[in-house]
Amino acid sequence: MIITLLGGAGFMGAGIVRDLLSERSIIDITTLRLCDASREKVDALVSELADPRIVPVDLDVTNADALHAAIAGADICINCVPTLLGFQMMIFEAALKARVSYIDLGGLGTYTVKQLAEHERFKEAGVTAVIGVGADPGMSNVICRAVADELDTIDKINLYWAAELVGDENPVLVPPYSVSTVLAEYAHPSTQFYDGRHVECAPMSGREYLDLPEPWGRCEFMHSPHSEQLTVPLADGIREKGIKEFTWKLHLPHREHEAWVGLVKAGFGDFDEPVDIGGVKVKPLDVLNKVLDRNIKKNAHLIPAQESNEIHFAVGRGLKDGVETEVTVEVVVKPDDMYAPYVDACTSMNGSIAAQLILANPRKPGVWAPEEYFNVASYFVELEKRRFIIDKRIARR
């Protein structure tokens, strides 16, 4: 099989490459086209992995001919180009034109509705696209499907993600993922599903405190823009069960949370609106990225060893056999040596899982969200192979 990976030398792309080429793979990969604008990063990854199946490709995605050449003839196109750069729909359309299956990592739901609107075009062309297939969205959508499958009728499903760091306090702010994504999660309004309809909610609204096991402890959650709430309550097998509420809420490590709140208060939430400095217009995001990067490099010796812990869980309430029932499905990701080469093992491994499950099984043409495409049992088998801890609890009242 031939796989094209766009943005393949970035943090998430590199992680997907590692997992695709690992002993966990369930597909026979003959060629992996590693496409990126940074030849330096590509060469470093190729040198590190030393796998003859990797074919490096210099690619500027704004070059339509080069983009088509990179995708054409592949069995799947994995798009890891950062969503907020604005190229997602162009790449999505390029995959359709080339009649190549497509996946991406989502990106706060920025293009989700537009992509789903192209379902019939992809279906007629016989092309499969599954959008938002990282950890959140992606794995989180499948968790919601697992909850929904345990209920006959659904009142609500509430989805949460929490991260916590264990170790000495870090005097350096290290972003957990793309700075623009974090700022958008804190500064932008979100669409949630309340009273059976989608409504816009203010940034950092929906404050909720939950007591979780250690190392998370008492966590403050808040609404955040994401794609899960745009798709899950409308999905076949969920919508018709009468769901009236669906929310997605975020919790970042306590001290880091305070730092991001402060940056938004300082105005960095408008990260793309240029400011004038001595007659030169610059974007706050570009300045912040440079300052953070400089600070991390300058003070690398001060950054302590910390262990990252993640918990992804959905709580559904409704009826099962006429009895009020609460279903909780959670996936916990604890520190493990397996994850050492990865920047974000959960996101990149799930991207790899999605690609492999699409290629290993008969494909369904059209544009799909993960909760409508993947089989829960098969998906969870792949999570367990990667040492993610799955737990399901059902309480009847």
Side-chain angles (χ1 to χ4, degrees), residues 164-170 215 255-256 304-309:
E164 198 56 65
L165 298 170
V166 176
D168 293 337
E169 176 70 21
N170 191 349
R255 294 301 295 274
E256 280 71 13
Q306 292 182 312
E307 294 184 336
S308 176
N309 296 263

Side-chain angles (χ1 to χ4, degrees), residues 87-142:
F87 304 130
Q88 192 153 311
M89 291 304 294
M90 181 179 68
I91 296 169
F92 178 71
E93 288 289 340
L96 174 62
K97 183 178 180 181
R99 284 177 163 69
V100 171
S101 295
Y102 169 94
I103 64 173
D104 60 42
L105 300 180
L108 304 180
T110 307
Y111 297 103
T112 299
V113 174
K114 289 183 179 180
Q115 289 176 298
L116 289 174
E118 302 302 327
H119 175 77
E120 290 302 324
R121 289 179 62 217
F122 273 72
K123 187 176 180 180
E124 289 172 6
V127 178
T128 297
V130 187
I131 58 176
V133 296
D136 300 85
M139 179 182 73
S140 56
N141 300 64
V142 180

Side-chain angles (χ1 to χ4, degrees), residues 299-311:
N299 296 296
H301 62 289
L302 299 178
I303 299 176
Q306 292 182 312
E307 294 184 336
S308 176
N309 296 263
E310 297 181 40
I311 183 169

Side-chain angles (χ1 to χ4, degrees), residues 1-2 25-31 53 75:
M1 289 184 173
I2 299 173
S25 183
I26 58 173
I27 57 174
D28 181 19
I29 300 171
T30 56
T31 302
R53 292 173 289 179
D75 291 282

Side-chain angles (χ1 to χ4, degrees), residues 130-254:
V130 187
I131 58 176
V133 296
D136 300 85
M139 179 182 73
S140 56
N141 300 64
V142 180
I143 291 172
C144 292
R145 169 61 68 180
V147 167
D149 287 349
E150 296 292 340
L151 296 168
D152 297 328
T153 65
I154 303 171
D155 294 326
K156 59 183 177 179
I157 298 176
N158 303 112
L159 178 62
Y160 305 87
W161 173 70
E164 198 56 65
L165 298 170
V166 176
D168 293 337
E169 176 70 21
N170 191 349
V172 178
L173 179 61
V174 179
Y177 34 83
S178 166
V179 173
S180 58
T181 299
V182 185
L183 290 173
E185 287 180 323
Y186 275 75
H188 291 182
S190 68
T191 299
Q192 307 290 333
F193 193 75
Y194 283 110
D195 297 323
R197 62 188 181 92
H198 283 110
V199 298
E200 184 175 288
C201 298
M204 292 186 276
S205 62
R207 300 291 179 91
E208 180 181 1
Y209 292 87
L210 295 177
D211 292 315
L212 303 181
E214 292 300 326
W216 297 278
R218 188 165 180 77
C219 292
E220 178 186 0
F221 289 88
M222 65 182 191
H223 287 145
S224 178
H226 253 242
S227 64
E228 292 95 326
Q229 56 267 35
L230 300 176
T231 66
V232 173
L234 304 182
D236 289 342
I238 297 177
R239 178 188 64 253
E240 60 267 34
K241 291 184 179 183
I243 187 168
K244 294 293 188 294
E245 177 180 316
F246 183 92
T247 60
W248 190 88
K249 294 185 179 181
L250 163 79
H251 166 82
L252 288 182
H254 294 81

